[in-house]
Amino acid sequence: RLQDLHINSGNLLNLREILMSNTGFRLFEFTGSYANNNSRFNWYNTGYDKHTKFFTADSFNYCPAKERDEFVAASPYQTDFNTAHTGAITIGPFDVSRFAKDSVLDMGIITIRDAVFTNHRDKRKPRLPGSVRSLPANFLKQIPIRVHADTARISNALVLYEEVNERTGATGKIVFSKLEGSVSHLRNYDLSPVDSLHVNASGYLEEKLFIRLNVRESYTDPLGGFIMGVKMDSVDLTVFNPVLKPLVSAELISGYLDSLNMQVVGREAFASGTMKMIYHDLKIRVTGSRQKKQVFGSGIKSFFANTLVKNNNTKRTGTVFFERLRDRSAINYLVKITLSGISSSIGVKKSDRQAKKYRKQINDPLPATSIP
C-alpha cells in the first residue's frame, strides 16, 4: 500500500526526483521475497514513512538457496553456512531524500529484536588457499555505497556457532542466548585516524554463563588493529562440555569458575594479551570409545592431563595468543582467542612459546590515535 505520493509529468521517469520532490509519503504492508542461485531473502510487512523518516519491518529472513548438507557437499572447500532470522526491525531517522541527492545511506539508529543467527563450518574439507575474510571494520569499507549509522542495536538475540571436527567428525556447538548488544560509529567514508568501530555485547553461554564483550576496532590502521575485553561471571565449568567433548575428545569432570577477565590487543593476523581466570577443583577426563584398549588408553591420558592441568588458580595470569585462521569469520576469531586464553590459564597450552615468533610485532604499539 502506498499513500500520499505525488507524481507529475516532470518526474514520472526519474525515481530520484520523485523521492526528493515528495515531502511526505507512506509505503506499508510491503511483503515479499527474492531468490537467486545462491541466496533466499524474505521480508514481512515492511514500510517507510517519509514524515517520520522511519523504516519498519515485522521480520526478515536470510538463508542460502541450498539446504545445509547440500550446501556443504557442493563446496570443494571449507565454507560458512550462515542463516539469519529477525523479529521486528526499525531504522531511522532515515532520509531517502539525502540518499537520492548525494548517495549517502544515513540510517540513524538500527534496532533488531529477537534475532537468530547461525554459523556452521565443516572442517573435514580442505581450506581454500589464499582466502582472507575481512574483520568488521574492513568489511564496512568494502561496501560500494557510502554508509553511516549512529548505532545498531540487537535485543534478545540468539547466536549458534557450530564446527565439525576434522578428526572426530563430531559437531561442537556454542550457543549464546539473551544477547544484548550495540555496534556504534558505523561509517565507511570520510574516515580519520581517530575513527573506530565500537562493539559492546552481553549474553549467556548455554543459558548459564554471563559474558560481557567490549571491542574497539580501528578503521584506518593498516594492521587492522583492535582492542578487546571479555569478562565472565562465576559458573560450573562443565558448561563447556558440549564444546570440549566433540572437538577435543575431553570433558570436565568438575570445576568452578569464580571470575574471568581477558584483555587483548589484536591485529588482522594475530591477537595477544592476558587472561586472569580464577577457578578451583578442575578435573579433566579424556574420552574414548567403548573398546577396552581405548578405555584403558583414555584413562592413562586422563591421568597425565590432570597431572599437567592446574586444578586451582587464585592469582596466576595466563598468556593469550592466537594466530588467526584468516579464511574464517570474525566470530570464529573471537571464540578461538578466548579458548586460547583458557587453555593457557589452566596449563594445557603454552601460549608464551607460540608467541615468540611474533614478539616484535606484539611489542610494537598500535598507532596511538587509532583506538581511543
Side-chain angles (χ1 to χ4, degrees), residues 110-178:
I110 304 167
T111 302
I112 302 173
R113 295 177 175 84
D114 304 324
V116 177
F117 303 103
T118 72
N119 176 265
H120 175 93
R121 174 175 283 248
D122 191 335
K123 292 177 62 181
R124 292 173 296 184
K125 294 206 167 193
R127 295 166 59 185
L128 176 63
S131 175
V132 177
R133 299 278 296 275
S134 296
L135 296 180
N138 278 331
F139 176 80
L140 275 174
K141 291 192 291 184
Q142 293 169 10
I143 297 175
I145 60 175
R146 292 186 291 177
V147 175
H148 175 259
D150 294 330
T151 305
R153 296 172 179 164
I154 296 176
S155 178
N156 193 37
L158 184 145
V159 176
L160 171 62
Y161 175 81
E162 294 183 335
E163 189 176 283
V164 181
N165 185 267
E166 65 270 33
R167 295 185 298 274
T168 66
T171 301
K173 298 181 181 181
I174 298 177
V175 180
F176 290 98
S177 60
K178 302 176 184 176

Side-chain angles (χ1 to χ4, degrees), residues 30 43-47 55-60 86-91 111:
F30 178 41
W43 58 92
Y44 301 91
N45 196 25
T46 60
F55 169 89
T56 59
D58 283 354
S59 65
F60 172 83
T86 78
I89 299 173
T90 61
I91 301 175
T111 302

Side-chain angles (χ1 to χ4, degrees), residues 57-217:
D58 283 354
S59 65
F60 172 83
N61 293 338
Y62 159 77
C63 65
K66 296 182 175 67
E67 296 297 324
R68 190 182 75 182
D69 291 346
E70 184 184 3
F71 177 90
V72 172
S75 175
Y77 298 103
Q78 291 182 28
T79 186
D80 290 311
F81 181 88
N82 297 316
T83 68
H85 170 79
T86 78
I89 299 173
T90 61
I91 301 175
F94 163 43
D95 190 351
V96 295
S97 294
R98 185 183 179 192
F99 180 64
K101 181 180 179 181
D102 56 20
S103 300
V104 173
L105 195 61
D106 189 346
M107 296 181 286
I109 296 175
I110 304 167
T111 302
I112 302 173
R113 295 177 175 84
D114 304 324
V116 177
F117 303 103
T118 72
N119 176 265
H120 175 93
R121 174 175 283 248
D122 191 335
K123 292 177 62 181
R124 292 173 296 184
K125 294 206 167 193
R127 295 166 59 185
L128 176 63
S131 175
V132 177
R133 299 278 296 275
S134 296
L135 296 180
N138 278 331
F139 176 80
L140 275 174
K141 291 192 291 184
Q142 293 169 10
I143 297 175
I145 60 175
R146 292 186 291 177
V147 175
H148 175 259
D150 294 330
T151 305
R153 296 172 179 164
I154 296 176
S155 178
N156 193 37
L158 184 145
V159 176
L160 171 62
Y161 175 81
E162 294 183 335
E163 189 176 283
V164 181
N165 185 267
E166 65 270 33
R167 295 185 298 274
T168 66
T171 301
K173 298 181 181 181
I174 298 177
V175 180
F176 290 98
S177 60
K178 302 176 184 176
L179 184 63
E180 303 285 332
S182 66
V183 183
S184 54
H185 303 280
L186 289 91
R187 193 182 188 95
N188 66 357
Y189 68 99
D190 292 341
L191 298 168
S192 71
V194 298
D195 287 323
S196 59
L197 185 69
H198 297 191
V199 180
N200 294 281
S202 64
Y204 287 86
L205 174 65
E206 301 294 336
E207 297 282 346
K208 297 177 181 178
L209 174 57
F210 185 67
I211 302 175
R212 291 175 293 274
L213 169 71
N214 183 286
V215 179
R216 301 288 185 271
E217 182 184 356

Side-chain angles (χ1 to χ4, degrees), residues 248-250 284-288 293-309:
V248 297
S249 298
I284 294 176
R285 176 168 58 213
V286 178
T287 58
K293 185 176 180 180
Q294 290 292 331
V295 171
F296 177 75
S298 296
I300 296 293
K301 292 177 183 178
S302 296
F303 171 79
F304 282 107
N306 285 292
T307 302
L308 295 171
V309 163

